[in-house]
Amino acid sequence: MRAIRKAMAGTESVQERLDDFVEAITEAMQVAVASIYLRRPSRELELSATQGLKKSAVHKTLMAPGEGLVGHVAQTARPLNLAEAPSHPLFSYRPETGEDKYHSFLGVPILRGGRTLGVLVVQSEDQRNFNEEEVEDLLTVAMVLAEILIDDERVGGKKGALKGITLAPTKPETFDGKSFADGLAEGVAHLHVPPVPPSDMLSENVATEQIRLEEGVTKLRASVDAMVSGEAAGLSRASKEIYETYRMFAYDRRWVQRLREAVQSGLTSEAAVERVRNEHRARLMKSPDPYMRARLHDLEDLANRLLRALSGENLGPGKKDIPQGAIIFARDLGPAELLDYDRDKLAGIVLEEGSHSSHTSIICRAIGVPLIGRAEGILDRIEIGDKVLLDAEQNQIHLRPVESKTAGFQLRMNIRGEVAKAYEAVKNRPAITKDNRHVSLQLNAGLLVDLPQLELAGADGIGLFRTEFQFMVSEFMPRLKDQTDLYLKALQAAGKRPVTFRTLDLGGDKILPYMDPVPEENPAIGWRAIRIGLDRPALLRYQCRALLAAAAGRHLRVMFPMVTTVDELIEARSLFDTEVKRASSLGKDLPHKIEVGVMLETPSLAWSVRAVCDHADFVSVGANDLMQFFFAADRDNIRVSDRYDPLHPASLSILRFIVDGCKQAGVPVSICGEIAGRPIEAVTLVALGFEALSMPVTGIGPVKAALLALDAEKLKELITPLITIDSRLPSVRDHVREFCMAEGIPV
Ligand code: PEP
Ligand code: MG
């Protein structure tokens, strides 16, 4: 370790450092040979330094992926310890190295993240069996080596150059992903979970470090125990199912044993966590079993918690510092973690996972931060500080782009800026079509961060206030006062403009950390939203109470999600009425006007539209769910979510049926799914008869610009004959697009 420390502090070239390294290893381990093989971009392993083999073979001997014992270690990412290497079936003899006299072989992978950078090998003449401690030591050396090499490269310059080999990714690379929040961003990479810097990898004193690790593990276990017993939640019992798995890992003797061994070999606890994580990643990532890969995520989360425990940090959330223009890279990011970052410095987000309707995505759309998800494997190709172009228009992430790419990208960013200015110019104009249809453009919101957008975008109100967001981003169940405060702020921000509050839409994928999850085969069609509200009315009544209190003396609009039958609407309404009666019997101030509506987002309710209108003051079509149920296509499953076009004649026909039904009954109807915020869809919806659209903030400008140029009657004439039950068209999109082009409508 002393020799390693020296090499770390050294100012020689990388090659000299590697030479120092192998020399130090042969002395420390009393072996004849120590060699470093590094992976070339072509994935071959190149002998890059050796003590004991012929120096003339350095940079000449190459092993193909999987070839020989060295290739095998790289491929399996596991140590290989053999007393009699030449008799191993995979042994591949290389005469130029002069290794024929060596019998024993110990090879360990040089891992970083889930990547194998190379292999570190020691050999000796006798038929020696390396003991466990020696294997550990070599793994430790390999890990430190990986960090030093990468760090050298990062600081750049000649010092970092190793001929023909680049360990940290340096070349431009483009990853495909899926845009979950539109926009363009240029910035620098920041890892949500950063690696341990090399200077903090080796401990000063093994005994004190062991105590630190034990303390960290004890703290971690206590926090997981608290989660399981529900203490941390303060109110309800914790989500046992999920946390039990965590607890299993936290108490897993092998996991902790691996950490202890790593610390014993001289690493700091942080570096030990990283090393064990790297080992798991390298192995589990190769597993074809999705269950095993999912376990990797649990282990990683646990490793992150342990790191936080070690840093002395409270295991709750905290504000995270990032550089200006940071693009955050993470496997996945919860809404609370997202809000921990300084919005002013945050330029964009890239996730290996994520989904379009996850709350992180919805919040990103609300605050105008572009987000690309499903960028598989990108975490292994990115280093902190790398330059990044995030193109959420074209679903691509460019890492370390060349100048010309950046120039073209900047041009597009400028054009986007110009277009935004054009929207700004029409901000205060009402959305009136050329044939004089007045369309109300409203905002989908749910958090405090959304509220300033009302003014900024020039929206006519909040057409959908998703009250569950407050529940999802907090650590604890929001109290009556917290709920009332938020609703009041929304009403104040809106002023005279209407705000339509949707009661809690929980369940399905919207699970609260402090509520017991109910495992379900098909959560989207399971026990969720109003179904929970009616079966366990306390929470819903509590919420109605908060809404009534917030809207005292004001106009209150409330609607219920996921209603499937008219009976459910009647029941929910009567629950609400009970709260109104309670408030008035207690002498509380009531809203001066109350309207109770319903979200129409199940096909069954569409076919009861007239009965619905008898019991609802207004109807709001939830197109996200309506389309998911109509086409039987999970909105969160990328394999199917874009498979059917909402502009299919069949879906347009159900939408038209709903609008016509409401209009005939004289009940106001609006639509609030994501489609309302896309210009081609929006003009079509207006042609069908919708006069109120509620959408993410980014949709308001483009939709208004399109509507101002639209002759809705003319478009209606075009599409009406296409919406028939004998139509075989997959979509009317092309027809609408051509129409818009011909009419000069910007879509
Ligand atoms: C919808 O389903 O269309 C909707 C607006 O609600 P959410 O996306 O919150 O389910
Ligand atoms: Mg919905």
Side-chain angles (χ1 to χ4, degrees), residues 502 505 528 599 601 622 624-625 635:
R502 177 192 50 203
D505 187 0
R528 54 173 282 204
M599 283 199 75
E601 45 186 353
N624 300 337
D625 277 317
R635 58 193 262 194

Side-chain angles (χ1 to χ4, degrees), residues 208-229:
T208 3
E209 198 57 40
Q210 277 171 327
I211 296 171
R212 264 193 84 221
L213 175 69
E214 295 307 323
E215 283 173 356
V217 169
T218 308
K219 202 163 156 192
L220 169 76
R221 286 178 173 167
S223 84
V224 176
D225 285 346
M227 289 195 292
V228 177
S229 67

Side-chain angles (χ1 to χ4, degrees), residues 87-102:
S87 60
H88 191 282
L90 286 176
F91 183 80
S92 151
Y93 175 57
R94 289 304 177 87
E96 76 274 15
T97 61
E99 65 177 333
D100 33 336
K101 38 183 196 291
Y102 304 112

